[in-house]
Every structure is written in structure tokens, then in C-alpha cells.
Amino acid sequence: MLGSAGAGLLVAGPAVGAPAPAPGTSAPAPTAPAARRTAARDTGMPERFVWGAGTSSYQIEGSPLRDSGGESVWDVFCRQPGAILDGSSGELACDHHRRHREDVALMKRLGLGAYRFSIAWPRLFPDGTGRRHEPGFAFYDRLIDDLLEAKITPWITLFHWDYPQALQARGGWMQRESADWFADYAQAVVARYSDRVRHWLTLNEPEVFILLGHHLGRHAPGEKRPWPELLRICHHVLLAHGKGVQAIRAAARQPVEVGYVAALHPGIPATTAEADLAAARRFSFGGLAGWLLDPVYTGRYPEEQLAEYGAQVPKHDPADLKTIAQPLDLFAMNTYQGAVVRAGPDGRPQALPLPQGHARTAFRIFDMVPQALYWGPRWYHERYKLPVYITENGMSSIDWVSLDGRIDDPQRIDFLRRYLQELRRAIADGADVRGYFAWSLLDNFEWAEGYRERFGLIFIDYATQKRTPKASFDWYRDTIRSHGATL
Ligand code: IFM
């Protein structure tokens, strides 16, 4: 999803210096209560650990336009010649809108405790605000009811990038009013479903949709705005989150848990030296990703980036930061990789290139760096003191149906096992991690890459819409069954 140009802006700085040692092997473990350590090592994950998988609306459902809903910026973007690598779109995707029953049955077979999905805003409000589209609301009623019947806890993300085109036409996130549009939408969704749904996530990976969609032009709506305008968008998106949380809490019909999902690329200390530990920690809060964390959790823009962005930071009412920093119940992180970091000569973090031939996934911008799930939860919990959930982790591989009908994806199994082992080690060493959501339940529309990247535990034959569980599906089912003891 993010190429090197984008990744460099999201995190503290470009990769420089000598090759990294094997990630994480030389750094110390955090100290932790011995009881917790023993529990996680001997018996797998802690008792109430949540085993989940995730998807998002535009990537699997099929466009709301097929159901007389509204258009999203992705419907429009996909029509631009050359925007999507294989010329495809999410028009039909996995046709989950019509096949959700079958998909919920597969989730049940997998033994999922929780399913994270997003709501397509234009499916409910074709114009973004105002007029409601009842068939859209009814679809999520059915999905939620089916999940509950299968004893799977729904986790809803309110916004995973399919912004209503009607609002984009009114200026979109450049308008301060966009925060109220989002809050009104959040209020309506929570009023409708919170009798049955307790887990709410406001925005998915704001740093990614802002950077790729509004600066690099690689994602919808395809804008290439200069940095000062991007920072204004950031401010409005953060305000939308804050107002959204207020709306969720005001509309909720039972106690709820609310979070905000960041795409994070944690720093892994190159050695046990204090300076390297400090550099890795600092790296984990750098760049645009860090810019969008502190306001949410501490009510302040981070000093380091304030100094760097200087006069480009938009003038804002300090009261906005109070609105943005609503109390949250959890820290949600999507993590696919991390960077091995050491302290540079000036003490600043230096990300080291991974050793030559280092393991990479099929989507070549994603390296395999399992220690990201050891250090990430540690750094973010240390700073924000909230229970951590890994809301996305997984990989795309080159999967196909073998002659015997099986889909063997040993690399995905190895990837998931390595990352989950690191997560278990983090828990054993004291990190408060409460759940893990594999990305993704189904192969799906991978944005600008189209259908070329397959992230699913379930293979989709897009010509027939046939679903076939991959070998990793069986592996994850067994891991869930053993509650991580077989890791
Ligand atoms: O498919 C995406 C998802 O929509 C957001 N996080 C990263 C995934 C893999 O690129």
C-alpha cells in the first residue's frame, strides 16, 4: 500500500547507514510480573484474549451503487485510467453484500471470537449527510444479527476510506465542517446498532488515507496537495475523530469501548544500548503517523514535528485539542512491519536497511519483521497506558488453487506464527495486549493494487465468487482453538 516514498514520510526518516543485525535479536526484554510471564508462555494467550480477523467495506462488499446507495471517492477514483494497477475496482469485489451469510458461516468455522468490519458511509447516507438509505441500514442489521447468532463479537470501524463523493464535492476533509459531517454519521450508526454492538473504532489509518489520497495522489480521491494543506486536513480528521467519539458516547445504548486505528511502523532497537533503545522509541512516534497519535491520546501535537513543520502547521483554536483528546478505551494498531533503528551520531534515530535477501512478502513494500509485534505494543503502551489490540496484521502471498483443490500458503502460516510468537513474548514480558485481528478474512480489493495482492485466509475466485479456505485458515483455526498454546 505504501511505497518507499510514502513510508519515509510516515515514519521518522529514510533508511540510512549500515545493514541491520537480525531484527530484535540483540535487544533486551522489558521487565514484567513473573506470574503473567509464566501464564502466557505455558498456556498461550491470556484468558480473555480476543482472536479476530478483519475486512473493510469497499474492499469486500461491492459498491453501494449496486444497491442504490451513494458513490464513494473510490468509485470515482477507480474510473480514472491508470489509477488501479490491474484496471479493476471494488464494484463487485467479494460480493459480500449478497454473500455475507456464507462468509459468517466461514467465520464460525474458523472459530473467530471477533470480526472487525467497516461501514460504507455512502451505503447509509448517499449524500453523506441528510437523506438516509434504509436498505443500507438493513444490510448491517442482518450482518450484525448473523454474527451474534454465530457468537462472534462485531467490532465496527466507522470509516475505512470510502468517503462519500457528495461530501468530497463539497470540499471534503479540507472543510472544517467535515468533522461535524462525520460526527452526525457516527451518531446515526451508533444509535442504530449499539443495542447489539459494543466495540467502535472511529477511523482506519488516517495517516495512510491522508498521505496517499491527498498528497501523493495514489489513493482516492487522488489529490496532490502541498504539505500545509495536508496538515489542515490532518487537523480536521483529528477533530472528526474527537467529535465522533463524543457522538458515539452520547448515542450509545449500552457501555461501549471506543478506539482509533493507526498504521504503525515501530522501531526495533538495533542493540541493547540505551541510546539505541531511545532512538527506537523516538522513531515509533515520528513523522506523520506520530503527528496523528499524540493529539488523540495526550491532547498535544508532538514537539518534534511542531519544530519540523513550523509555520506550515495551521492556526487552530486550542480548544480543538481538548475535543480531539477524548478518553479512549483501547489502543488499536495496524502493524505489518517495523524498522531496525539505532542512534545516529547526533542521537537521532537511524533506520537501518534490512540485511540483503531479507524475507519479504509478495507485496514487496512489506518486509517480514515479526519483532514489530514485540516492540510496538511495548512502546505504545508505555506512552499511552491503554490496553493494546493489534487490529490488522498479515501478508499477501502468491496463492493459487492447486490441482488437488488445496490452497497451500506455508509462507502466510510461517508469517502469522512468527508475529504471534513475538506478540506472545511481549505479553509474557508485561505488555498489556488484549487481542489480535488477522488481515484479512478474505482475499479482497487491495486499493491501488487491485486484486493482485491476496491477503486472505480464504481464497476468492473472483470469476465465480467461490470461497475456498486456505491452509492458513486451518492453521489459524487450530491456533484459536488452542488459545495460542500451539504457537
Ligand atoms: O488492505 C489494507 C487495509 O485496507 C488497510 N491496512 C493495510 C491493508 C494491507 O495493505
Side-chain angles (χ1 to χ4, degrees), residues 269-311:
T271 75
T272 58
E274 258 320 306
D276 286 344
L277 284 165
R281 184 187 283 109
R282 185 166 156 196
F283 177 91
S284 306
F285 297 89
L288 194 66
W291 181 249
L292 292 164
L293 282 181
D294 267 7
V296 167
Y297 296 100
T298 71
R300 281 185 301 275
Y301 277 120
E303 292 299 329
E304 185 166 325
Q305 287 92 323
L306 271 175
E308 191 182 329
Y309 303 156

Side-chain angles (χ1 to χ4, degrees), residues 96-129:
H96 173 76
H97 179 250
R98 286 192 301 160
R99 296 169 193 265
H100 70 274
R101 277 245 142 96
E102 184 182 351
D103 294 337
V104 173
L106 285 164
M107 293 179 216
K108 189 172 174 185
R109 213 169 113 192
L110 182 55
L112 285 189
Y115 172 54
R116 172 178 176 236
F117 64 97
S118 75
I119 302 248
W121 182 345
R123 190 181 288 291
L124 305 190
F125 293 95
D127 308 318
T129 56

